[in-house]
Amino acid sequence: MHETLENSTSSSLALASPVPLIEHPAQVYLATLSPGSRPAMRQALNAIARLLTNSSCDAMTLNWAALRYKHTAAVRSVLSEKYAPAYVNKVLSALRRVLKEALRLEIMDAVDFARAVDIPNVKVTKQLRGRVLTAEEIAQLMQTCFDDPTPTGYRDAAIFAILRGSGVRRSEAVNLDLSDFEENTGAIQVRAGKGGKDRTVYLPESGLTVVSDWLSLRGYEAGPLLCHVNRGSRIVRRRLTSQAVLFILQKRGAQAFVANFSAHDFRRTFISELLDAGEDISTVQRLAGHANSDQTARYDRRGEETKRRAVQKLTIPGQRKKSPLLM
């Protein structure tokens, strides 16, 4: 977001003096997010601040309580011209949340708040994003890791097994500690997931074996479950970053000749396959860590064949008498 709003006056929107963090609406909002979500949303808030003040303010120096409808409407207009609807709506959601904190902190008038947040989301007309990985593609990716006898191959296979077998988010996977994994049952404790919520997910037995193989090399000392392997194939108990996992997926995807995919596509595959297997959406929702079943349904990528199979379970009763015309 490099554009600015020419009619905005930077001085009127800048804080006159620093505000304590517990009274700063942007900081209060960011504190409600999971650690994995904060950097992206802080970046979005910084971009809004720069947009409104000709780059003279960031999220911490902008006076959010001074924003009015003319500012929020202008932000929506500029962003919608340049970015995808889903991204714009995500930024607008963060903007509304910060202004709500300003209202709660009693530094913004209720009428000004209601007007400022009264901006509609950008309509999403594109097809659903992402895709489901086929069984053949997953097998190719796993085999690429299995064919690598180094600790890196064992570690990468464990990453794929966790993403594919438990449906956790990439940020949740890298935040796992050894203590979060129960080797006897395959239970994984996801702590402070999206929305700051904890949940328990499980690995299938085939995935449990893969992760156990990695632990036989990693050892059972406390620390991150998934960690670095240096160029000398020495395991370093330093936590992987989400970006490092993305690089690993891209590298293994290229080696396996699998078309572009994301870590989130494993979540889509996980959810779609469980629904296709007849699991009720409430159970899948809890495993995925979604706030409601509508979110889970948006990840469903089962396609037309599933709908065609579903209607085959229905019967139309009765028996027609043969027409003389057909005899």
Side-chain angles (χ1 to χ4, degrees), residues 53-318:
T53 63
N54 196 25
S55 298
S56 65
C57 289
D58 61 15
M60 301 308 295
T61 56
L62 181 73
N63 183 4
W64 295 92
L67 298 193
R68 299 295 180 263
Y69 173 76
K70 64 180 180 181
H71 301 117
T72 57
V75 168
R76 179 189 183 279
S77 176
V78 171
L79 297 186
S80 61
E81 291 178 0
K82 190 173 181 182
Y83 297 97
Y87 175 74
V88 176
N89 292 337
K90 186 175 183 178
V91 174
L92 293 180
S93 176
L95 173 57
R96 293 189 192 96
R97 287 283 303 277
V98 173
L99 297 185
K100 187 169 186 178
E101 297 300 343
L103 176 69
R104 288 170 167 169
L105 292 167
E106 299 182 345
I107 59 175
M108 189 173 193
D109 179 81
V111 174
D112 290 332
F113 165 76
R115 290 173 177 166
V117 299
D118 189 22
I119 47 174
N121 277 346
V122 179
K123 290 185 178 180
V124 179
T125 57
K126 292 183 177 180
Q127 292 184 339
L128 293 173
R129 294 174 59 190
R131 70 183 185 92
V132 163
L133 287 113
T134 66
E136 292 76 15
E137 288 176 322
I138 294 172
Q140 288 171 245
L141 291 168
M142 294 303 302
Q143 195 59 51
T144 298
C145 299
F146 291 152
D147 289 343
D148 180 353
T150 69
T152 300
Y154 280 78
R155 191 270 320 273
D156 292 356
I159 291 174
F160 279 111
I162 290 170
L163 293 176
R164 190 268 184 278
S166 69
V168 297
R169 300 173 178 91
R170 181 165 40 124
S171 60
E172 294 171 340
V174 298
N175 285 330
L176 293 174
D177 288 330
L178 179 65
S179 58
D180 296 324
F181 175 62
E182 174 52 60
E183 195 168 4
N184 292 329
T185 63
I188 296 175
Q189 301 296 326
V190 178
R191 306 187 189 280
K194 194 169 184 179
K197 297 179 180 179
D198 297 346
R199 72 182 190 280
T200 302
V201 297
Y202 297 88
L203 282 177
E205 289 187 8
S206 54
L208 179 57
T209 300
V210 175
V211 177
S212 295
D213 287 345
W214 156 243
L215 291 180
S216 67
L217 292 181
R218 177 203 176 279
Y220 290 85
E221 293 83 357
L225 179 64
L226 302 170
C227 49
H228 280 268
V229 178
N230 67 18
R231 292 184 179 181
S233 292
R234 185 171 66 89
I235 296 171
V236 181
R237 289 182 185 83
R238 188 172 78 249
R239 192 177 306 278
L240 291 174
T241 64
S242 289
Q243 189 63 32
V245 171
L246 177 60
F247 174 77
I248 290 167
L249 299 187
Q250 292 173 339
K251 174 186 173 183
R252 294 300 184 182
Q255 291 174 343
F257 301 101
V258 172
N260 283 346
F261 65 94
S262 68
H264 230 63
D265 288 334
F266 278 106
R267 269 176 73 75
R268 296 181 180 100
T269 304
F270 174 81
I271 290 169
S272 295
E273 290 191 358
L274 287 180
L275 292 174
D276 203 28
E279 295 298 332
D280 66 276
I281 196 167
S282 177
T283 299
V284 180
Q285 172 196 332
R286 293 197 299 272
L287 286 169
H290 286 151
N292 55 65
S293 58
D294 287 344
Q295 283 182 286
T296 307
R298 289 201 292 269
Y299 279 70
D300 188 354
R301 297 294 188 278
R302 287 176 290 173
E304 296 303 315
E305 177 59 23
T306 297
K307 291 191 286 185
R308 190 195 69 78
R309 291 203 314 267
V311 301
Q312 305 311 314
K313 300 174 183 178
L314 305 177
T315 58
I316 299 175

Side-chain angles (χ1 to χ4, degrees), residues 21-69:
L21 294 182
I22 61 173
E23 298 177 10
H24 195 295
Q27 182 60 37
V28 172
Y29 159 64
L30 290 171
T32 66
L33 304 178
S34 66
S37 298
R38 284 175 200 157
M41 299 321 296
R42 182 184 293 275
Q43 185 178 25
L45 296 181
N46 283 336
I48 293 172
R50 289 194 297 269
L51 190 65
L52 288 168
T53 63
N54 196 25
S55 298
S56 65
C57 289
D58 61 15
M60 301 308 295
T61 56
L62 181 73
N63 183 4
W64 295 92
L67 298 193
R68 299 295 180 263
Y69 173 76

